[in-house]
Amino acid sequence: MTQIKIFDTTLRDGEQSPGVNLNQLEKLELAKQLERFGVDVMEAGFPASSKGDFEAVKQIAETVKNVSVAGLARAVKSDINACRDALINATNPRLHIFIATSPIHMEYKLKKTPEEVIETAVEMVEYGKQFFDHVEWSAEDASRTDLDFLTKIIEKVIDAGATVINLPDTVGYTMPREYGAMFKYIKENVPNIHKADLSCHCHDDLGMALANSVAAVENGATQVEGTINGIGERAGNASLEEFAVALKIRNDYYPYHTNLVLNEIKRTSDMVSKFTGMTVPGNKAVVGRNAFAHESGIHQDGVLKNAQTYEIITPELVGVHSNNLVLGKHSGRHAFTDKIKQLGYDLPEDKIKEAFKAFKLLTDRKKEVTDEDLFAILTDIQTDTSNVKRYKLDNFQVQYGSNDQPSATVSLSNPNNEKVKDTSTGSGSVEALYNTLDQIILEETHLTDFQLNSIGQGRDALAEVHVSLTVDGKTVSGRGSAQDVLEAAVQAYLNGVNRAIYQKKAI
Ligand code: KIV
Ligand code: ZN
């Protein structure tokens, strides 16, 4: 069995998904989870892109020790320097340099001749090699690149010291047989290719990202790049959990395996979905809510007789446990602390106290508190940025009648610690609340997206709201969960504004 290395780029390419912006605490928690999941390399960010990204990469490199941590750089010295400084304390750092190689990118974007592109690529790999043993080089838009040119530039960057050659399908254009053939050609025609690992990186614009990744592996790629839940630019990247489970389930067919810990999939997927606000569609392979649901009578009957009739993946394989009923009204602090440890949270004493308080409040309103509820409470508390001055809700009231215009009154404390109260109306209850908040909030705030989901099932399920906002012209996301839909909506809005304040401090 050949081991296929997994290069996770959720924190870089995934974070480039429209509307997604993770704060430093969320990136760190996700990095720790990716380590538990067993990825071989995690691309922690693009250090030259902002001070916040630089700090996040640095913090991750200092914290996560069992995984190689990579930073992305354009083929310019300042980007490489930023990676060098951000990864200074990493145990096993990797520099990832990219430059476009397709005719359209070289002519219109880079405005360089092919010879100039080769020269820059070689010069930058040599420069990076002074600071890094492991240098990955990516031919951006490789799948639309002339094969002879690709062969030539790859040979030169390997001579310059590149240890991994990545051939991205940047715009999700290629087809499996075609992409596989490119890897085969490179393997057969680049004389020094044995000195480097070959890697694939696929986007899903035509829905081919997973199939293309598998085709690359069939033709010699030993590293697969992708993201959790397949998030990423435009239609996203190849979904790593799908790739890993496909290899596992079809190990009768493929002699490949990954080091991923498959029963960490559900938790990793939930975390990514919660932090990014990108809800996983019910029918998504491997992690969708319906992935293990059998609706038709014929299927249900078959599964009852022998689960394998219609179930090729067991929920347990990916960490989905149906019997997750946990704590209730009478559960004490001890049971609660045990449970959160069991769920993999490592919280300081003050946060455990805060979480226990939130849990107790919830048990007043909800009879059965499930793992999903705890996940919502704990991740919110874990990634809370309350050390920053911020808006804090005191209380609110909404007046709604089916024939009247809704009105809302909100009291909160603002970042100057002043208590403020105001009232406004709207065409619905949420709009009335948001109009009131806009009157109170000092920043110029606009709502651009609003999503409401329930956490778990049942009439008393928690509500979770994700919003996208612009705050003083900057796009941010916010989330809030509460038993009441309107409270979740208010919390999500305030969370977005508070995150904008936090980010302003980090930049
Ligand atoms: O899709 C792409 O080409 C990339 C590169 C930066 C590797 O993400
Ligand atoms: Zn990409």
Side-chain angles (χ1 to χ4, degrees), residues 250-270:
R250 295 310 312 273
N251 63 10
D252 60 317
Y253 187 73
Y254 281 127
Y256 314 118
H257 75 102
T258 70
N259 276 345
L260 292 177
V261 181
L262 299 185
N263 64 15
E264 286 292 334
I265 284 180
K266 172 78 170 112
R267 183 181 158 86
T268 319
S269 163
D270 282 352

Side-chain angles (χ1 to χ4, degrees), residues 12-13 72 96 98 138 140-141 166 168 170 201 203:
R12 199 278 300 168
D13 222 340
L72 183 70
H96 179 192
F98 73 99
S138 282
E140 191 189 14
D141 207 14
N166 183 39
T170 303
H201 175 117
H203 282 268

Side-chain angles (χ1 to χ4, degrees), residues 9 12-14 16 43 96 140 166 168-171 201-203 225 227 232-234 236-237:
T9 182
R12 199 278 300 168
D13 222 340
Q16 283 172 223
E43 187 162 54
H96 179 192
E140 191 189 14
N166 183 39
D169 181 28
T170 303
V171 292
H201 175 117
C202 298
H203 282 268
E225 303 196 355
T227 59
E233 283 271 12
R234 307 180 310 278
N237 291 58

Side-chain angles (χ1 to χ4, degrees), residues 368-424:
E368 296 161 344
V369 177
T370 63
D371 283 3
E372 280 167 313
D373 298 327
L374 286 179
F375 176 76
I377 295 176
L378 294 167
T379 42
D380 280 348
I381 287 176
Q382 189 180 42
T383 55
D384 183 24
T385 54
S386 52
N387 51 344
V388 174
K389 287 191 170 183
R390 60 171 186 162
Y391 294 94
K392 206 161 182 261
L393 179 69
D394 284 334
N395 59 67
F396 71 87
Q397 277 192 335
V398 173
Q399 285 233 298
Y400 175 82
S402 51
N403 295 325
D404 301 321
Q405 187 174 35
S407 67
T409 303
V410 181
S411 303
L412 51 75
S413 50
N414 70 16
N416 306 327
N417 253 333
E418 295 156 345
K419 299 261 180 212
V420 218
K421 186 174 180 176
D422 217 329
T423 299
S424 190

